[in-house]
Amino acid sequence: IAGITQAPTSQILAAGRRMTLRCTQDMRHNAMYWYRQDLGLGLRLIHYSNTAGTTGKGEVPDGYSVSRANTDDFPLTLASAVPSQTSVYFCASRTDRGTDTQYFGPGTRLTVL
Amino acid sequence: QKEVEQDPGPLSVPEGAIVSLNCTYSNSAFQYFMWYRQYSRKGPELLMYTYSSGNKEDGRFTAQVDKSSKYISLFIRDSQPSDSATYLCAMSSSVNAGGTSYGKLTFGQGTILTVHP
């Protein structure tokens, strides 16, 4: 593979359930990001990681947590899902070449009922 | 006021037309300027990036940055039906938060483009 993979592709989840969205990259990029995309609100940053072992909060972190045990994987966890977390979630990584460009995965479409 | 403003369209043009997509911004600290293309139910795909004012060309695509006016554009020549997608502008900056910094992209709302045969 080349790039970023995300799993699952889509998921319907009952409110209150716990859910982990998976993200794996094979580009060995240090920085990784999680975004949600909602109609009318665009792409909003949830959490970021500058390098393995470190994470930070973005614009809309409430209700989400992340971990970065190694360079390749950056899972996003919803501890207790709520309907307002219905969205499309994108994982991204940033090149280390100094151009600030980010590369996105195919997304996970999540519906919380 | 949003840091990045992009006309959401939608924009509908005939095949072969020249398309102009635009964004304005207010933050002088933005460093790199990017254009992404997003097909329906897919992730954003990087098209082009630029750093300085001026033009950058890649095939049928030209990215233009005017830092003095805080204005960027993407031109698509000889547009094709396969160009039908949402186009997102994005701009990078470094954010200091809680003693650490991270690279941030600020996105426009996206312009929906349809090129009809």
Side-chain angles (χ1 to χ4, degrees), chain B residues 23-64:
Chain B
C23 290
T24 59
Y25 64 95
S26 58
N27 187 349
S28 299
F30 286 141
Q31 297 168 322
Y32 282 87
F33 304 87
M34 300 154 214
W35 286 96
Y36 286 84
R37 178 175 63 195
Q38 187 175 20
Y39 290 117
S40 181
R41 303 181 77 89
K42 301 291 186 183
E45 169 195 11
L46 179 67
L47 275 178
M48 298 184 71
Y49 68 91
T50 58
Y51 177 75
S52 55
S53 287
N55 294 349
K56 181 178 181 180
E57 189 172 317
D58 184 2
R60 295 185 295 111
F61 299 89
T62 299
Q64 185 178 81

Side-chain angles (χ1 to χ4, degrees), chain A residues 30-35 44-61 64-68 74-76 90-94 102, chain B residues 94-105:
Chain A
N30 282 310
M32 296 187 74
Y33 305 83
W34 273 105
Y35 294 88
R44 293 181 292 169
L45 181 65
I46 304 171
H47 283 288
Y48 67 90
S49 170
N50 284 335
T51 190
T54 69
T55 62
K57 295 180 179 180
E59 304 166 73
V60 288
Y64 305 95
S65 64
V66 291
S67 61
R68 187 87 184 276
F74 190 41
L76 176 74
F90 291 103
C91 178
S93 68
R94 190 186 73 191
Q102 293 184 17
Chain B
S94 183
V95 176
N96 291 314
T100 63
S101 65
Y102 69 94
K104 176 182 177 181
L105 287 187

Side-chain angles (χ1 to χ4, degrees), chain B residues 70-95:
Chain B
K70 296 189 176 64
Y71 189 89
I72 71 170
S73 298
L74 178 71
F75 299 98
I76 307 174
R77 292 183 298 280
D78 188 25
S79 57
Q80 302 294 309
S82 58
D83 294 327
S84 299
T86 297
Y87 289 81
L88 300 158
C89 63
M91 307 179 189
S92 72
S93 59
S94 183
V95 176

